[in-house]
Every structure is written in C-alpha cells, then in structure tokens.
C-alpha cells in the first residue's frame, strides 16, 4: 500500500510522466472532454454518477501529491457573479495565483500540448473547471515515512 492519499494508478502514472509547467485539468461533469483537451493528455473518467465526486474533492487529493505553480478557472460571460466553486479553489490554492478565463479561452488553453492529464468528475456545479500548472518540488522535500 502506498503512503500517499493519491492511489489511482492512471492518475499517478500521468503525473509521474508530467513535469514542471505541465498542466492538469479538473473538469466538471459538463465539460466536453472529448473535444476540449490536448491530444497528448491522458483522460481519466471519475464520473460514475452525478455529484458523486466533485472537482474540489479531487483537488484536495492532488494537492497532497504535487506542487502547484498557478491555476486558471473558467468564468461565466459578462457581469455574472463568480461561481462559488471558484472561491473554494482560491481558498485551497492560496497563495497560488488563480487567473480567470472565459469559456472558449479556457477550452483553447486546455487543448494545449502542455496538458498532461484531464480528470473528468461528476461535479454538477456549473463553471467548476480548474486548470493547474505543475510547479517544482521544493529542495529538501522528503516523502512521508
């Protein structure tokens, strides 16, 4: 048994092959993962049933396994208020910068060849999508014993 909280073999494999600057997409259940992801990205489907696993839950586990350099979220058009999910992401990621992108700009960014992994959740919240950019491991950081 591994000592990390993250146990999913496909996610571990994709992250092990990714490096500094690679991106990870955490997609809500509405996200068009078959058409709005990079060609090289490994797509992992965790969407068993609506609402069963959300982006915030996956984010919490990923944060125990990888350093995050920056993040981007998808925001609604115009003057619509920022969705509550984004406030959760900002709180969990602080002090990491979280930039906002419109829907189609977000899709184009997720289609980048830098996207190493896309995790599709069953999150039913709208605009609950999150792109993480992998950072570097701090010098001297050890794994838990």
């Amino acid at each position: 048994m591994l000592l990390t909280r993250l146990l999913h073999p496909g996610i571990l494999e994709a992250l092990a092959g990714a490096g500094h600057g690679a991106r990870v997409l955490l997609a809500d259940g509405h996200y068009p993962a078959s058409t709005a992801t990079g060609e090289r990205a490994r797509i992992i489907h965790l969407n068993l049933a609506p609402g069963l696993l959300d982006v915030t839950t996956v984010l919490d586990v990923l944060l125990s396994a990888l350093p995050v350099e920056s993040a981007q979220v998808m925001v609604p058009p115009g003057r619509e208020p920022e969705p509550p999910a984004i406030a959760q992401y900002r709180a969990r990621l602080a002090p990491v910068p979280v930039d906002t992108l419109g829907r189609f700009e977000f899709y184009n960014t997720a289609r980048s060849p830098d996207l190493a992994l896309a995790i599709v959740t069953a999150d039913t919240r709208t605009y609950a999508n999150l792109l993480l950019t992998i950072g570097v491991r701090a010098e001297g950081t050890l794994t838990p014993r």
Side-chain angles (χ1 to χ4, degrees):
M1 179 60 67
L2 297 174
L3 295 177
T4 176
R5 289 181 63 202
L6 179 58
L7 298 177
H8 191 286
I11 295 173
L12 285 168
E13 179 184 17
L15 291 176
H20 179 230
R23 290 190 171 146
V24 176
L25 168 65
L26 304 181
D28 64 28
H30 311 284
Y31 193 86
S34 63
T35 59
T37 56
E39 291 179 11
R40 299 178 188 160
R42 168 111 187 233
I43 300 175
I44 303 288
H45 294 275
L46 299 179
N47 49 346
L48 180 64
L52 186 60
L53 187 62
D54 64 18
V55 170
T56 305
T57 302
V58 174
L59 174 62
D60 288 341
V61 174
L62 287 182
L63 289 175
S64 73
L66 68 111
V68 176
E69 179 175 283
S70 64
Q72 296 167 310
V73 292
M74 180 191 294
V75 293
R79 298 177 190 258
E80 291 184 45
E82 194 169 85
I86 295 174
Q88 286 184 349
Y89 305 157
R90 288 186 195 285
R92 282 169 166 77
L93 289 165
V96 171
V98 178
D99 296 322
T100 59
L101 300 174
R103 180 175 154 206
F104 295 106
E105 186 180 9
F106 189 96
Y107 290 163
N108 287 335
T109 303
R111 288 185 182 108
S112 160
D114 291 335
L115 187 70
L117 173 64
I119 301 172
V120 181
T121 71
D123 202 328
T124 57
R125 299 173 295 178
T126 57
Y127 294 95
N129 303 297
L130 176 64
L131 267 171
L132 304 173
T133 301
I134 298 174
V136 295
R137 184 180 187 142
E139 189 173 334
T141 304
L142 299 175
T143 56
R145 288 190 181 245

